[in-house]
């Protein structure tokens, strides 16, 4: 080996070491759902664009993620530089100064392209505090082949009576086919997201205009009894431990006639690589009762940057990349348009290729049906469709969710669960000074 060649190799090695040494590391906390896992598989594209930024991932189950990031951001712990957070946390944390404003993301990121309903939920006093990775409402996903076999047709805008009749017709427990799969796992963002949205369509509400809890109302009793009847008669065994991921797996295995859950699931239940029933899936709006409110929610999993991070610039570059139009194009080129993150940008729903996706229109219609400012039939002092946008709600909602999950598991009656929910909520709200 010549001296000049050794010198060249040495220089290259030193350059490589210098680049590695100068790389800035950011830690991203995220939820363990399919869209976020998919992004981790596309990081070569980010690394090529930003070789000086190294991304470390902390991927957690939904309830655990919420607990970890809440503890960290409140204590300014500095564990994470980017957090996956939702429409519930963003306005509360933004108002408390816990998040970095994203108003200065590059012009080409195009904040004006974000769907107004989604952008509004992530904005406080004109400051955007998180960038939506995907937006969602909820809708009915159902097996068209089972409906056809039963001689039935799912309306585009079903009632809860339609759902009950369809669930009964599709149930075949001997062959492990259950007419309906719904969330039963306790958590303010698990079973209580579904049950709160469902309760809106029954005329229920968490609080009246004086912040008095309403679990002793007839509307809540009807909501929970309807849910229990559906699950006990037509649901899968062990449903009290089933959340989004568990029901997704059941549906993909062909064990659910219907699943009412996040619109974002549509790409997974129609993906023939993962779903045994992909070619048979139909979509409908979440059910109503003729009271003017549907049982659907409004949510965005978004990327926020905690105040006090020592890697703010690098974090903003990652957030802008992961939530950009270019990222959508990247996913489409690798996975097809059906698998791009949905529900965030107007331009996506104007895209002729995306308009061919079978669930695109129903997703957009579902998002537009949700009104976080007027979520209930009767007036309420709070905003939020499937949650109450106050800091205390996460704790209260999880405790109440445990009561309803216990009732679903047969550990107590519906009446007892509602009585406990009323007592828990009353005590917690009084302690909080409401």
């Amino acid at each position: 080996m010549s001296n000049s060649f050794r010198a060249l190799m040495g220089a290259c090695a030193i350059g490589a070491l210098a680049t590695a040494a100068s790389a800035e590391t950011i830690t991203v906390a995220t939820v363990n759902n399919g869209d976020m896992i998919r992004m981790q598989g596309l990081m070569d594209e980010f690394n090529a664009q930003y070789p000086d930024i190294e991304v470390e991932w902390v991927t957690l189950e939904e309830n655990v993620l919420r607990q970890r990031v809440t503890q960290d951001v409140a204590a300014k712990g500095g564990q994470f530089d980017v957090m996956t957070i939702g429409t519930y946390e963003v306005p509360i944390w933004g108002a408390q100064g816990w998040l970095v404003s994203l108003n200065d993301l590059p012009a080409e990121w195009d904040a004006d392209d974000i769907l107004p309903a989604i952008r509004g939920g992530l904005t406080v006093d004109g400051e955007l505090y998180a960038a939506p990775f995907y937006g969602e409402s909820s809708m009915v996903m159902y097996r068209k082949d089972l409906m056809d076999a039963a001689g039935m047709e799912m309306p585009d805008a079903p009632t809860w009576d339609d759902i009950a009749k369809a669930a009964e017709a599709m149930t075949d427990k001997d062959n492990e086919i259950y007419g309906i799969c719904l969330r039963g796992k306790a958590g303010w963002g698990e079973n209580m997201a579904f049950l709160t949205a469902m309760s809106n369509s029954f005329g229920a509400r968490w609080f009246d205009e004086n912040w008095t809890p309403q679990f002793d109302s007839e509307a809540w009793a009807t909501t929970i009894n309807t849910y229990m009847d559906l699950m006990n008669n037509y649901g899968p065994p062990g449903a009290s431990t089933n959340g989004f991921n568990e029901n997704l797996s059941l549906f993909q295995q062909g064990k659910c006639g219907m699943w009412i859950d996040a619109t974002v699931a549509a790409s997974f239940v129609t993906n023939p690589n993962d779903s045994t029933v992909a070619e048979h899936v139909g979509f409908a709006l979440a059910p109503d009762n003729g009271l003017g409110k549907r049982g659907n929610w409004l949510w965005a999993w978004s990327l926020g940057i905690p105040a006090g991070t020592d890697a703010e610039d690098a974090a903003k570059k990652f957030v802008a990349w992961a939530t950009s139009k270019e990222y959508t194009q990247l996913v489409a080129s690798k996975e097809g348009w059906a698998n791009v993150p949905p529900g965030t940008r107007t331009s996506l729903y104007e895209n002729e290729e995306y308009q061919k996706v079978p669930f695109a229109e129903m997703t957009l219609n579902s998002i537009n049906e949700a009104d976080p400012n007027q979520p209930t039939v009767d007036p309420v002092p709070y905003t939020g469709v499937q949650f109450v946008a106050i800091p205390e709600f996460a704790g209260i909602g999880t405790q109440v969710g445990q009561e309803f999950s216990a009732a679903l598991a047969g550990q107590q009656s519906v009446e007892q669960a509602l009585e406990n929910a009323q007592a828990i909520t009353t005590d917690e709200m009084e302690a909080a000074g409401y």
Side-chain angles (χ1 to χ4, degrees):
M1 185 183 293
S2 70
N3 289 336
S4 59
F5 185 70
R6 283 196 185 93
L8 176 63
M9 291 297 289
C12 289
I14 291 168
L17 286 170
T19 300
S22 64
E24 188 168 18
T25 300
I26 60 171
T27 302
V28 179
T30 194
V31 65
N32 65 339
N33 64 27
D35 281 291
M36 296 300 187
I37 301 298
R38 183 179 287 134
M39 179 163 57
Q40 293 174 44
L42 296 171
M43 287 307 294
D44 284 350
E45 303 287 339
F46 177 79
N47 294 335
Q49 192 170 340
Y50 296 104
D52 58 334
I53 302 174
E54 209 171 288
V55 179
E56 291 186 352
W57 294 89
V58 177
T59 307
L60 302 166
E61 187 269 333
E62 187 170 321
N63 286 340
V64 178
L65 172 78
R66 289 193 167 111
Q67 185 179 28
R68 286 275 303 275
V69 299
T70 301
Q71 289 171 345
D72 190 62
V73 75
K76 293 185 168 57
Q79 288 185 57
F80 310 116
D81 301 295
V82 177
M83 296 174 163
T84 305
I85 52 180
T87 309
Y88 165 68
E89 294 96 345
V90 175
I92 297 171
W93 294 4
Q96 290 174 321
W98 292 355
L99 297 172
V100 172
S101 170
L102 300 182
N103 276 18
D104 61 349
L105 289 185
E108 60 268 22
W109 185 76
D110 195 1
D112 291 337
D113 188 44
I114 304 299
L115 289 169
I118 299 297
R119 184 177 176 182
L122 305 175
T123 301
V124 180
D125 296 331
E127 298 287 333
L128 184 71
Y129 281 108
F133 181 67
Y134 68 76
E136 66 179 41
S137 183
S138 53
M139 64 183 176
V140 183
M141 293 162 275
Y142 65 94
R143 292 270 300 277
K144 293 187 289 187
D145 57 331
L146 296 182
M147 288 292 282
D148 290 345
M152 300 179 70
E153 190 171 327
M154 178 68 73
D156 284 341
T159 66
W160 284 104
D161 283 343
D162 293 327
I163 295 299
K165 290 172 184 172
E168 181 180 16
M170 288 191 282
T171 296
D172 181 3
K173 292 185 179 179
D174 290 342
N175 288 306
E176 293 189 358
I177 297 175
Y178 304 96
I180 192 160
C181 294
L182 302 172
R183 297 188 186 194
K185 179 188 287 186
W188 71 264
E190 280 282 7
N191 65 339
M192 288 315 299
F194 176 82
L195 288 170
T196 300
M198 180 181 181
S199 77
N200 294 338
S201 66
F202 282 82
R205 50 189 177 164
W206 268 80
F207 304 100
D208 68 11
E209 291 177 281
N210 297 314
W211 291 103
T212 304
Q214 298 293 294
F215 287 105
D216 55 0
S217 67
E218 184 178 337
W220 264 110
T222 306
T223 301
I224 302 302
N225 278 310
T226 301
Y227 168 79
M228 294 295 174
D229 287 346
L230 287 170
M231 296 300 282
N232 289 330
N233 293 324
Y234 316 121
S240 62
T241 61
N242 289 348
F244 175 87
N245 285 329
E246 291 80 8
N247 284 326
L248 171 60
S249 179
L250 286 170
F251 195 96
Q252 288 177 323
Q253 293 169 34
K255 295 187 176 183
C256 303
M258 279 179 295
W259 180 29
I260 305 173
D261 212 299
T263 53
V264 73
S267 69
F268 302 112
V269 297
T270 57
N271 186 337
N273 295 326
D274 302 315
S275 176
T276 62
V277 296
E279 62 186 294
H280 302 301
V281 183
F283 304 96
L285 292 173
D288 73 356
N289 276 314
L291 301 178
K293 295 294 178 183
R294 292 204 164 271
N296 63 306
W297 62 65
L298 183 68
W299 185 257
W301 274 122
S302 302
L303 300 179
I305 300 172
T309 174
D310 57 5
E312 182 177 315
D313 186 57
K316 283 182 176 177
K317 288 176 181 175
F318 173 80
V319 168
W321 174 83
T323 59
S324 65
K325 297 176 190 178
E326 291 73 24
Y327 179 81
T328 301
Q329 294 278 352
L330 172 63
V331 175
S333 70
K334 302 278 188 182
E335 308 275 354
W337 279 103
N339 295 309
V340 304
T344 62
R345 290 186 174 271
T346 301
S347 58
L348 179 63
Y349 291 91
E350 293 173 345
N351 183 302
E352 290 183 2
E353 290 302 312
Y354 194 68
Q355 288 172 0
K356 298 174 186 175
V357 173
F359 49 82
E361 184 179 7
M362 189 61 71
T363 295
L364 184 61
N365 290 343
S366 297
I367 288 173
N368 289 335
E369 280 272 347
D371 183 358
N373 295 311
Q374 293 182 303
T376 52
V377 174
D378 293 325
V380 290
Y382 56 84
T383 60
V385 181
Q386 77 279 25
F387 57 82
V388 177
I390 57 173
E392 295 79 11
F393 180 75
I396 297 171
T398 295
Q399 289 183 69
V400 171
Q402 289 165 351
E403 297 297 329
F404 294 141
S405 188
L408 183 58
Q411 297 167 2
Q412 63 181 350
S413 67
V414 168
E415 293 74 21
Q416 188 63 57
L418 286 164
E419 188 178 316
N420 293 348
Q422 180 73 6
I424 288 166
T425 308
T426 300
D427 289 347
E428 292 289 342
M429 293 297 282
E430 286 179 358
Y434 285 82

